[in-house]
PDB file of all heavy atoms in Angstrom:
ATOM      1  N   ASN A 928     -54.316 -17.506  39.599  1.00 79.00           N
ATOM      2  CA  ASN A 928     -53.602 -16.490  38.832  1.00 79.00           C
ATOM      3  C   ASN A 928     -53.665 -15.164  39.566  1.00 79.00           C
ATOM      4  O   ASN A 928     -54.736 -14.713  39.961  1.00 79.00           O
ATOM      5  CB  ASN A 928     -54.220 -16.374  37.435  1.00 79.00           C
ATOM      6  CG  ASN A 928     -53.489 -15.356  36.575  1.00 79.00           C
ATOM      7  OD1 ASN A 928     -53.723 -14.160  36.690  1.00 79.00           O
ATOM      8  ND2 ASN A 928     -52.608 -15.844  35.710  1.00 79.00           N
ATOM      9  N   TYR A 929     -52.516 -14.526  39.722  1.00 75.00           N
ATOM     10  CA  TYR A 929     -52.431 -13.311  40.537  1.00 75.00           C
ATOM     11  C   TYR A 929     -53.304 -12.188  39.979  1.00 75.00           C
ATOM     12  O   TYR A 929     -53.949 -11.450  40.733  1.00 75.00           O
ATOM     13  CB  TYR A 929     -50.967 -12.871  40.614  1.00 75.00           C
ATOM     14  CG  TYR A 929     -50.661 -11.922  41.741  1.00 75.00           C
ATOM     15  CD1 TYR A 929     -51.150 -12.142  43.028  1.00 75.00           C
ATOM     16  CD2 TYR A 929     -49.863 -10.804  41.530  1.00 75.00           C
ATOM     17  CE1 TYR A 929     -50.864 -11.270  44.064  1.00 75.00           C
ATOM     18  CE2 TYR A 929     -49.561  -9.926  42.566  1.00 75.00           C
ATOM     19  CZ  TYR A 929     -50.066 -10.170  43.821  1.00 75.00           C
ATOM     20  OH  TYR A 929     -49.781  -9.309  44.848  1.00 75.00           O
ATOM     21  N   ARG A 930     -53.324 -12.066  38.658  1.00 80.00           N
ATOM     22  CA  ARG A 930     -54.142 -11.013  38.047  1.00 80.00           C
ATOM     23  C   ARG A 930     -55.625 -11.285  38.263  1.00 80.00           C
ATOM     24  O   ARG A 930     -56.390 -10.376  38.606  1.00 80.00           O
ATOM     25  CB  ARG A 930     -53.827 -10.913  36.555  1.00 80.00           C
ATOM     26  CG  ARG A 930     -54.627  -9.847  35.830  1.00 80.00           C
ATOM     27  CD  ARG A 930     -54.186  -9.722  34.381  1.00 80.00           C
ATOM     28  NE  ARG A 930     -52.872  -9.081  34.292  1.00 80.00           N
ATOM     29  CZ  ARG A 930     -52.232  -8.928  33.131  1.00 80.00           C
ATOM     30  NH1 ARG A 930     -52.748  -9.384  32.012  1.00 80.00           N
ATOM     31  NH2 ARG A 930     -51.064  -8.321  33.114  1.00 80.00           N
ATOM     32  N   VAL A 931     -56.031 -12.522  38.115  1.00 83.00           N
ATOM     33  CA  VAL A 931     -57.433 -12.886  38.338  1.00 83.00           C
ATOM     34  C   VAL A 931     -57.805 -12.668  39.806  1.00 83.00           C
ATOM     35  O   VAL A 931     -58.892 -12.169  40.131  1.00 83.00           O
ATOM     36  CB  VAL A 931     -57.682 -14.360  37.931  1.00 83.00           C
ATOM     37  CG1 VAL A 931     -59.084 -14.802  38.337  1.00 83.00           C
ATOM     38  CG2 VAL A 931     -57.478 -14.534  36.432  1.00 83.00           C
ATOM     39  N   LEU A 932     -56.890 -13.044  40.698  1.00 81.00           N
ATOM     40  CA  LEU A 932     -57.128 -12.884  42.126  1.00 81.00           C
ATOM     41  C   LEU A 932     -57.362 -11.417  42.477  1.00 81.00           C
ATOM     42  O   LEU A 932     -58.325 -11.070  43.162  1.00 81.00           O
ATOM     43  CB  LEU A 932     -55.931 -13.429  42.910  1.00 81.00           C
ATOM     44  CG  LEU A 932     -55.939 -13.220  44.416  1.00 81.00           C
ATOM     45  CD1 LEU A 932     -57.111 -13.948  45.054  1.00 81.00           C
ATOM     46  CD2 LEU A 932     -54.620 -13.691  45.021  1.00 81.00           C
ATOM     47  N   ASN A 933     -56.471 -10.542  41.997  1.00 81.00           N
ATOM     48  CA  ASN A 933     -56.605  -9.128  42.330  1.00 81.00           C
ATOM     49  C   ASN A 933     -57.814  -8.493  41.671  1.00 81.00           C
ATOM     50  O   ASN A 933     -58.456  -7.616  42.256  1.00 81.00           O
ATOM     51  CB  ASN A 933     -55.326  -8.386  41.933  1.00 81.00           C
ATOM     52  CG  ASN A 933     -54.210  -8.568  42.942  1.00 81.00           C
ATOM     53  OD1 ASN A 933     -54.229  -7.996  44.025  1.00 81.00           O
ATOM     54  ND2 ASN A 933     -53.235  -9.406  42.600  1.00 81.00           N
ATOM     55  N   ALA A 934     -58.143  -8.937  40.459  1.00 87.00           N
ATOM     56  CA  ALA A 934     -59.346  -8.432  39.798  1.00 87.00           C
ATOM     57  C   ALA A 934     -60.594  -8.828  40.593  1.00 87.00           C
ATOM     58  O   ALA A 934     -61.531  -8.032  40.742  1.00 87.00           O
ATOM     59  CB  ALA A 934     -59.431  -8.970  38.372  1.00 87.00           C
ATOM     60  N   SER A 935     -60.592 -10.037  41.125  1.00 88.00           N
ATOM     61  CA  SER A 935     -61.728 -10.510  41.923  1.00 88.00           C
ATOM     62  C   SER A 935     -61.850  -9.713  43.219  1.00 88.00           C
ATOM     63  O   SER A 935     -62.954  -9.332  43.631  1.00 88.00           O
ATOM     64  CB  SER A 935     -61.565 -11.998  42.251  1.00 88.00           C
ATOM     65  OG  SER A 935     -61.478 -12.769  41.072  1.00 88.00           O
ATOM     66  N   VAL A 936     -60.704  -9.444  43.854  1.00 85.00           N
ATOM     67  CA  VAL A 936     -60.719  -8.662  45.095  1.00 85.00           C
ATOM     68  C   VAL A 936     -61.183  -7.240  44.814  1.00 85.00           C
ATOM     69  O   VAL A 936     -61.978  -6.666  45.578  1.00 85.00           O
ATOM     70  CB  VAL A 936     -59.325  -8.656  45.745  1.00 85.00           C
ATOM     71  CG1 VAL A 936     -59.278  -7.684  46.921  1.00 85.00           C
ATOM     72  CG2 VAL A 936     -58.955 -10.047  46.211  1.00 85.00           C
ATOM     73  N   LEU A 937     -60.711  -6.676  43.707  1.00 89.00           N
ATOM     74  CA  LEU A 937     -61.126  -5.327  43.329  1.00 89.00           C
ATOM     75  C   LEU A 937     -62.642  -5.261  43.129  1.00 89.00           C
ATOM     76  O   LEU A 937     -63.309  -4.336  43.611  1.00 89.00           O
ATOM     77  CB  LEU A 937     -60.394  -4.900  42.058  1.00 89.00           C
ATOM     78  CG  LEU A 937     -60.591  -3.452  41.594  1.00 89.00           C
ATOM     79  CD1 LEU A 937     -60.097  -2.474  42.656  1.00 89.00           C
ATOM     80  CD2 LEU A 937     -59.854  -3.213  40.282  1.00 89.00           C
ATOM     81  N   ALA A 938     -63.182  -6.254  42.445  1.00 92.00           N
ATOM     82  CA  ALA A 938     -64.634  -6.316  42.228  1.00 92.00           C
ATOM     83  C   ALA A 938     -65.380  -6.441  43.560  1.00 92.00           C
ATOM     84  O   ALA A 938     -66.421  -5.814  43.772  1.00 92.00           O
ATOM     85  CB  ALA A 938     -64.972  -7.486  41.313  1.00 92.00           C
ATOM     86  N   LEU A 939     -64.814  -7.247  44.483  1.00 88.00           N
ATOM     87  CA  LEU A 939     -65.432  -7.417  45.801  1.00 88.00           C
ATOM     88  C   LEU A 939     -65.449  -6.107  46.570  1.00 88.00           C
ATOM     89  O   LEU A 939     -66.457  -5.746  47.196  1.00 88.00           O
ATOM     90  CB  LEU A 939     -64.676  -8.482  46.593  1.00 88.00           C
ATOM     91  CG  LEU A 939     -65.090  -8.655  48.061  1.00 88.00           C
ATOM     92  CD1 LEU A 939     -66.540  -9.129  48.154  1.00 88.00           C
ATOM     93  CD2 LEU A 939     -64.154  -9.622  48.775  1.00 88.00           C
ATOM     94  N   LEU A 940     -64.353  -5.369  46.531  1.00 89.00           N
ATOM     95  CA  LEU A 940     -64.265  -4.101  47.261  1.00 89.00           C
ATOM     96  C   LEU A 940     -65.281  -3.087  46.733  1.00 89.00           C
ATOM     97  O   LEU A 940     -65.911  -2.356  47.501  1.00 89.00           O
ATOM     98  CB  LEU A 940     -62.851  -3.537  47.176  1.00 89.00           C
ATOM     99  CG  LEU A 940     -61.751  -4.379  47.814  1.00 89.00           C
ATOM    100  CD1 LEU A 940     -60.401  -3.707  47.633  1.00 89.00           C
ATOM    101  CD2 LEU A 940     -62.033  -4.610  49.290  1.00 89.00           C
ATOM    102  N   VAL A 941     -65.394  -3.027  45.422  1.00 93.00           N
ATOM    103  CA  VAL A 941     -66.364  -2.121  44.815  1.00 93.00           C
ATOM    104  C   VAL A 941     -67.792  -2.542  45.187  1.00 93.00           C
ATOM    105  O   VAL A 941     -68.640  -1.708  45.529  1.00 93.00           O
ATOM    106  CB  VAL A 941     -66.196  -2.081  43.282  1.00 93.00           C
ATOM    107  CG1 VAL A 941     -67.321  -1.277  42.626  1.00 93.00           C
ATOM    108  CG2 VAL A 941     -64.840  -1.488  42.911  1.00 93.00           C
ATOM    109  N   ALA A 942     -68.040  -3.851  45.167  1.00 93.00           N
ATOM    110  CA  ALA A 942     -69.373  -4.364  45.523  1.00 93.00           C
ATOM    111  C   ALA A 942     -69.710  -4.052  46.974  1.00 93.00           C
ATOM    112  O   ALA A 942     -70.843  -3.666  47.296  1.00 93.00           O
ATOM    113  CB  ALA A 942     -69.435  -5.874  45.273  1.00 93.00           C
ATOM    114  N   LEU A 943     -68.736  -4.186  47.867  1.00 88.00           N
ATOM    115  CA  LEU A 943     -68.968  -3.867  49.279  1.00 88.00           C
ATOM    116  C   LEU A 943     -69.252  -2.377  49.469  1.00 88.00           C
ATOM    117  O   LEU A 943     -70.095  -1.992  50.292  1.00 88.00           O
ATOM    118  CB  LEU A 943     -67.759  -4.284  50.113  1.00 88.00           C
ATOM    119  CG  LEU A 943     -67.585  -5.769  50.375  1.00 88.00           C
ATOM    120  CD1 LEU A 943     -66.263  -6.048  51.067  1.00 88.00           C
ATOM    121  CD2 LEU A 943     -68.736  -6.315  51.214  1.00 88.00           C
ATOM    122  N   SER A 944     -68.541  -1.554  48.710  1.00 91.00           N
ATOM    123  CA  SER A 944     -68.782  -0.112  48.782  1.00 91.00           C
ATOM    124  C   SER A 944     -70.221   0.206  48.402  1.00 91.00           C
ATOM    125  O   SER A 944     -70.898   1.011  49.059  1.00 91.00           O
ATOM    126  CB  SER A 944     -67.804   0.619  47.856  1.00 91.00           C
ATOM    127  OG  SER A 944     -67.927   2.021  47.993  1.00 91.00           O
ATOM    128  N   TRP A 945     -70.695  -0.434  47.343  1.00 94.00           N
ATOM    129  CA  TRP A 945     -72.080  -0.256  46.905  1.00 94.00           C
ATOM    130  C   TRP A 945     -73.052  -0.794  47.970  1.00 94.00           C
ATOM    131  O   TRP A 945     -74.062  -0.161  48.286  1.00 94.00           O
ATOM    132  CB  TRP A 945     -72.285  -0.957  45.576  1.00 94.00           C
ATOM    133  CG  TRP A 945     -73.742  -1.017  45.158  1.00 94.00           C
ATOM    134  CD1 TRP A 945     -74.646  -2.006  45.402  1.00 94.00           C
ATOM    135  CD2 TRP A 945     -74.447   0.001  44.449  1.00 94.00           C
ATOM    136  NE1 TRP A 945     -75.861  -1.681  44.883  1.00 94.00           N
ATOM    137  CE2 TRP A 945     -75.792  -0.462  44.295  1.00 94.00           C
ATOM    138  CE3 TRP A 945     -74.102   1.238  43.917  1.00 94.00           C
ATOM    139  CZ2 TRP A 945     -76.755   0.280  43.634  1.00 94.00           C
ATOM    140  CZ3 TRP A 945     -75.065   1.982  43.254  1.00 94.00           C
ATOM    141  CH2 TRP A 945     -76.370   1.511  43.116  1.00 94.00           C
ATOM    142  N   LEU A 946     -72.716  -1.953  48.538  1.00 90.00           N
ATOM    143  CA  LEU A 946     -73.585  -2.576  49.530  1.00 90.00           C
ATOM    144  C   LEU A 946     -73.696  -1.715  50.786  1.00 90.00           C
ATOM    145  O   LEU A 946     -74.786  -1.556  51.353  1.00 90.00           O
ATOM    146  CB  LEU A 946     -73.032  -3.957  49.902  1.00 90.00           C
ATOM    147  CG  LEU A 946     -73.829  -4.769  50.930  1.00 90.00           C
ATOM    148  CD1 LEU A 946     -75.212  -5.128  50.378  1.00 90.00           C
ATOM    149  CD2 LEU A 946     -73.069  -6.033  51.316  1.00 90.00           C
ATOM    150  N   PHE A 947     -72.591  -1.131  51.216  1.00 87.00           N
ATOM    151  CA  PHE A 947     -72.598  -0.318  52.427  1.00 87.00           C
ATOM    152  C   PHE A 947     -73.344   1.003  52.244  1.00 87.00           C
ATOM    153  O   PHE A 947     -74.130   1.397  53.090  1.00 87.00           O
ATOM    154  CB  PHE A 947     -71.163  -0.018  52.882  1.00 87.00           C
ATOM    155  CG  PHE A 947     -70.426  -1.205  53.438  1.00 87.00           C
ATOM    156  CD1 PHE A 947     -69.065  -1.347  53.216  1.00 87.00           C
ATOM    157  CD2 PHE A 947     -71.082  -2.173  54.182  1.00 87.00           C
ATOM    158  CE1 PHE A 947     -68.363  -2.432  53.730  1.00 87.00           C
ATOM    159  CE2 PHE A 947     -70.404  -3.270  54.701  1.00 87.00           C
ATOM    160  CZ  PHE A 947     -69.041  -3.392  54.470  1.00 87.00           C
ATOM    161  N   ASP A 948     -73.079   1.691  51.125  1.00 92.00           N
ATOM    162  CA  ASP A 948     -73.596   3.058  50.989  1.00 92.00           C
ATOM    163  C   ASP A 948     -74.053   3.438  49.589  1.00 92.00           C
ATOM    164  O   ASP A 948     -74.211   4.633  49.301  1.00 92.00           O
ATOM    165  CB  ASP A 948     -72.529   4.051  51.462  1.00 92.00           C
ATOM    166  CG  ASP A 948     -72.361   4.041  52.966  1.00 92.00           C
ATOM    167  OD1 ASP A 948     -73.319   4.364  53.678  1.00 92.00           O
ATOM    168  OD2 ASP A 948     -71.269   3.679  53.437  1.00 92.00           O
ATOM    169  N   GLY A 949     -74.235   2.455  48.708  1.00 94.00           N
ATOM    170  CA  GLY A 949     -74.792   2.737  47.396  1.00 94.00           C
ATOM    171  C   GLY A 949     -73.918   3.661  46.560  1.00 94.00           C
ATOM    172  O   GLY A 949     -72.680   3.630  46.628  1.00 94.00           O
ATOM    173  N   LEU A 950     -74.553   4.544  45.803  1.00 95.00           N
ATOM    174  CA  LEU A 950     -73.854   5.425  44.877  1.00 95.00           C
ATOM    175  C   LEU A 950     -72.925   6.395  45.594  1.00 95.00           C
ATOM    176  O   LEU A 950     -71.824   6.689  45.111  1.00 95.00           O
ATOM    177  CB  LEU A 950     -74.874   6.195  44.036  1.00 95.00           C
ATOM    178  CG  LEU A 950     -74.373   6.790  42.718  1.00 95.00           C
ATOM    179  CD1 LEU A 950     -73.770   5.726  41.826  1.00 95.00           C
ATOM    180  CD2 LEU A 950     -75.513   7.513  42.011  1.00 95.00           C
ATOM    181  N   LEU A 951     -73.350   6.887  46.769  1.00 95.00           N
ATOM    182  CA  LEU A 951     -72.500   7.796  47.532  1.00 95.00           C
ATOM    183  C   LEU A 951     -71.215   7.111  47.971  1.00 95.00           C
ATOM    184  O   LEU A 951     -70.134   7.710  47.942  1.00 95.00           O
ATOM    185  CB  LEU A 951     -73.254   8.305  48.761  1.00 95.00           C
ATOM    186  CG  LEU A 951     -74.106   9.569  48.598  1.00 95.00           C
ATOM    187  CD1 LEU A 951     -74.767   9.925  49.914  1.00 95.00           C
ATOM    188  CD2 LEU A 951     -73.273  10.727  48.080  1.00 95.00           C
ATOM    189  N   GLY A 952     -71.343   5.862  48.380  1.00 94.00           N
ATOM    190  CA  GLY A 952     -70.156   5.108  48.778  1.00 94.00           C
ATOM    191  C   GLY A 952     -69.186   4.942  47.620  1.00 94.00           C
ATOM    192  O   GLY A 952     -67.975   5.111  47.786  1.00 94.00           O
ATOM    193  N   LEU A 953     -69.705   4.618  46.450  1.00 96.00           N
ATOM    194  CA  LEU A 953     -68.855   4.471  45.261  1.00 96.00           C
ATOM    195  C   LEU A 953     -68.199   5.791  44.888  1.00 96.00           C
ATOM    196  O   LEU A 953     -67.048   5.825  44.431  1.00 96.00           O
ATOM    197  CB  LEU A 953     -69.681   3.955  44.089  1.00 96.00           C
ATOM    198  CG  LEU A 953     -70.124   2.490  44.164  1.00 96.00           C
ATOM    199  CD1 LEU A 953     -70.983   2.145  42.942  1.00 96.00           C
ATOM    200  CD2 LEU A 953     -68.916   1.559  44.233  1.00 96.00           C
ATOM    201  N   LEU A 954     -68.914   6.894  45.082  1.00 96.00           N
ATOM    202  CA  LEU A 954     -68.367   8.212  44.772  1.00 96.00           C
ATOM    203  C   LEU A 954     -67.176   8.522  45.677  1.00 96.00           C
ATOM    204  O   LEU A 954     -66.121   8.981  45.206  1.00 96.00           O
ATOM    205  CB  LEU A 954     -69.458   9.276  44.958  1.00 96.00           C
ATOM    206  CG  LEU A 954     -69.062  10.713  44.627  1.00 96.00           C
ATOM    207  CD1 LEU A 954     -68.712  10.839  43.147  1.00 96.00           C
ATOM    208  CD2 LEU A 954     -70.187  11.679  44.979  1.00 96.00           C
ATOM    209  N   VAL A 955     -67.316   8.250  46.973  1.00 96.00           N
ATOM    210  CA  VAL A 955     -66.215   8.494  47.913  1.00 96.00           C
ATOM    211  C   VAL A 955     -65.048   7.548  47.610  1.00 96.00           C
ATOM    212  O   VAL A 955     -63.881   7.962  47.620  1.00 96.00           O
ATOM    213  CB  VAL A 955     -66.684   8.311  49.367  1.00 96.00           C
ATOM    214  CG1 VAL A 955     -65.510   8.412  50.334  1.00 96.00           C
ATOM    215  CG2 VAL A 955     -67.739   9.354  49.713  1.00 96.00           C
ATOM    216  N   LEU A 956     -65.343   6.291  47.323  1.00 95.00           N
ATOM    217  CA  LEU A 956     -64.305   5.319  46.977  1.00 95.00           C
ATOM    218  C   LEU A 956     -63.520   5.783  45.755  1.00 95.00           C
ATOM    219  O   LEU A 956     -62.282   5.697  45.724  1.00 95.00           O
ATOM    220  CB  LEU A 956     -64.932   3.952  46.710  1.00 95.00           C
ATOM    221  CG  LEU A 956     -63.960   2.818  46.379  1.00 95.00           C
ATOM    222  CD1 LEU A 956     -63.175   2.404  47.613  1.00 95.00           C
ATOM    223  CD2 LEU A 956     -64.712   1.617  45.806  1.00 95.00           C
ATOM    224  N   THR A 957     -64.215   6.304  44.757  1.00 96.00           N
ATOM    225  CA  THR A 957     -63.554   6.788  43.535  1.00 96.00           C
ATOM    226  C   THR A 957     -62.668   7.990  43.829  1.00 96.00           C
ATOM    227  O   THR A 957     -61.513   8.062  43.387  1.00 96.00           O
ATOM    228  CB  THR A 957     -64.605   7.158  42.476  1.00 96.00           C
ATOM    229  OG1 THR A 957     -65.416   6.017  42.187  1.00 96.00           O
ATOM    230  CG2 THR A 957     -63.938   7.638  41.197  1.00 96.00           C
ATOM    231  N   GLY A 958     -63.201   8.942  44.596  1.00 96.00           N
ATOM    232  CA  GLY A 958     -62.408  10.123  44.940  1.00 96.00           C
ATOM    233  C   GLY A 958     -61.173   9.762  45.739  1.00 96.00           C
ATOM    234  O   GLY A 958     -60.074  10.278  45.482  1.00 96.00           O
ATOM    235  N   ALA A 959     -61.323   8.862  46.701  1.00 95.00           N
ATOM    236  CA  ALA A 959     -60.183   8.442  47.515  1.00 95.00           C
ATOM    237  C   ALA A 959     -59.143   7.716  46.662  1.00 95.00           C
ATOM    238  O   ALA A 959     -57.931   7.907  46.835  1.00 95.00           O
ATOM    239  CB  ALA A 959     -60.660   7.545  48.652  1.00 95.00           C
ATOM    240  N   SER A 960     -59.602   6.903  45.735  1.00 95.00           N
ATOM    241  CA  SER A 960     -58.678   6.172  44.856  1.00 95.00           C
ATOM    242  C   SER A 960     -57.883   7.138  43.989  1.00 95.00           C
ATOM    243  O   SER A 960     -56.681   6.950  43.761  1.00 95.00           O
ATOM    244  CB  SER A 960     -59.457   5.196  43.965  1.00 95.00           C
ATOM    245  OG  SER A 960     -60.161   4.257  44.737  1.00 95.00           O
ATOM    246  N   MET A 961     -58.532   8.198  43.524  1.00 95.00           N
ATOM    247  CA  MET A 961     -57.847   9.194  42.687  1.00 95.00           C
ATOM    248  C   MET A 961     -56.745   9.893  43.476  1.00 95.00           C
ATOM    249  O   MET A 961     -55.645  10.114  42.965  1.00 95.00           O
ATOM    250  CB  MET A 961     -58.865  10.207  42.155  1.00 95.00           C
ATOM    251  CG  MET A 961     -59.820   9.623  41.131  1.00 95.00           C
ATOM    252  SD  MET A 961     -61.170  10.753  40.673  1.00 95.00           S
ATOM    253  CE  MET A 961     -60.228  12.045  39.847  1.00 95.00           C
ATOM    254  N   VAL A 962     -57.028  10.236  44.738  1.00 95.00           N
ATOM    255  CA  VAL A 962     -56.001  10.870  45.572  1.00 95.00           C
ATOM    256  C   VAL A 962     -54.863   9.892  45.852  1.00 95.00           C
ATOM    257  O   VAL A 962     -53.679  10.263  45.815  1.00 95.00           O
ATOM    258  CB  VAL A 962     -56.615  11.378  46.897  1.00 95.00           C
ATOM    259  CG1 VAL A 962     -55.526  11.943  47.810  1.00 95.00           C
ATOM    260  CG2 VAL A 962     -57.680  12.438  46.630  1.00 95.00           C
ATOM    261  N   GLY A 963     -55.199   8.634  46.112  1.00 91.00           N
ATOM    262  CA  GLY A 963     -54.172   7.618  46.331  1.00 91.00           C
ATOM    263  C   GLY A 963     -53.283   7.428  45.116  1.00 91.00           C
ATOM    264  O   GLY A 963     -52.052   7.321  45.228  1.00 91.00           O
ATOM    265  N   PHE A 964     -53.899   7.387  43.924  1.00 91.00           N
ATOM    266  CA  PHE A 964     -53.128   7.278  42.685  1.00 91.00           C
ATOM    267  C   PHE A 964     -52.240   8.503  42.479  1.00 91.00           C
ATOM    268  O   PHE A 964     -51.105   8.385  42.021  1.00 91.00           O
ATOM    269  CB  PHE A 964     -54.064   7.124  41.484  1.00 91.00           C
ATOM    270  CG  PHE A 964     -54.524   5.710  41.246  1.00 91.00           C
ATOM    271  CD1 PHE A 964     -55.876   5.396  41.316  1.00 91.00           C
ATOM    272  CD2 PHE A 964     -53.624   4.701  40.950  1.00 91.00           C
ATOM    273  CE1 PHE A 964     -56.313   4.092  41.099  1.00 91.00           C
ATOM    274  CE2 PHE A 964     -54.052   3.400  40.737  1.00 91.00           C
ATOM    275  CZ  PHE A 964     -55.404   3.101  40.812  1.00 91.00           C
ATOM    276  N   LEU A 965     -52.762   9.681  42.813  1.00 92.00           N
ATOM    277  CA  LEU A 965     -51.997  10.912  42.640  1.00 92.00           C
ATOM    278  C   LEU A 965     -50.745  10.892  43.499  1.00 92.00           C
ATOM    279  O   LEU A 965     -49.651  11.240  43.029  1.00 92.00           O
ATOM    280  CB  LEU A 965     -52.878  12.115  43.013  1.00 92.00           C
ATOM    281  CG  LEU A 965     -52.253  13.491  42.794  1.00 92.00           C
ATOM    282  CD1 LEU A 965     -51.987  13.726  41.306  1.00 92.00           C
ATOM    283  CD2 LEU A 965     -53.169  14.588  43.346  1.00 92.00           C
ATOM    284  N   ALA A 966     -50.879  10.477  44.749  1.00 89.00           N
ATOM    285  CA  ALA A 966     -49.713  10.380  45.630  1.00 89.00           C
ATOM    286  C   ALA A 966     -48.689   9.406  45.060  1.00 89.00           C
ATOM    287  O   ALA A 966     -47.479   9.641  45.100  1.00 89.00           O
ATOM    288  CB  ALA A 966     -50.156   9.939  47.025  1.00 89.00           C
ATOM    289  N   GLN A 967     -49.189   8.311  44.520  1.00 83.00           N
ATOM    290  CA  GLN A 967     -48.315   7.288  43.938  1.00 83.00           C
ATOM    291  C   GLN A 967     -47.570   7.829  42.739  1.00 83.00           C
ATOM    292  O   GLN A 967     -46.357   7.625  42.593  1.00 83.00           O
ATOM    293  CB  GLN A 967     -49.193   6.095  43.536  1.00 83.00           C
ATOM    294  CG  GLN A 967     -48.447   4.858  43.122  1.00 83.00           C
ATOM    295  CD  GLN A 967     -49.389   3.671  42.983  1.00 83.00           C
ATOM    296  OE1 GLN A 967     -49.762   3.048  43.958  1.00 83.00           O
ATOM    297  NE2 GLN A 967     -49.803   3.370  41.765  1.00 83.00           N
TER     298      GLN A 967
END
């Protein structure tokens, strides 16, 4: 299912962000996502 697939990938990306740099990584990921959404 496409929705399940993308939800799983989204969870993986967030998990990798945490794995690479912990809370700081998630903070940067969130800020970047907000700017990306704003452009959209």
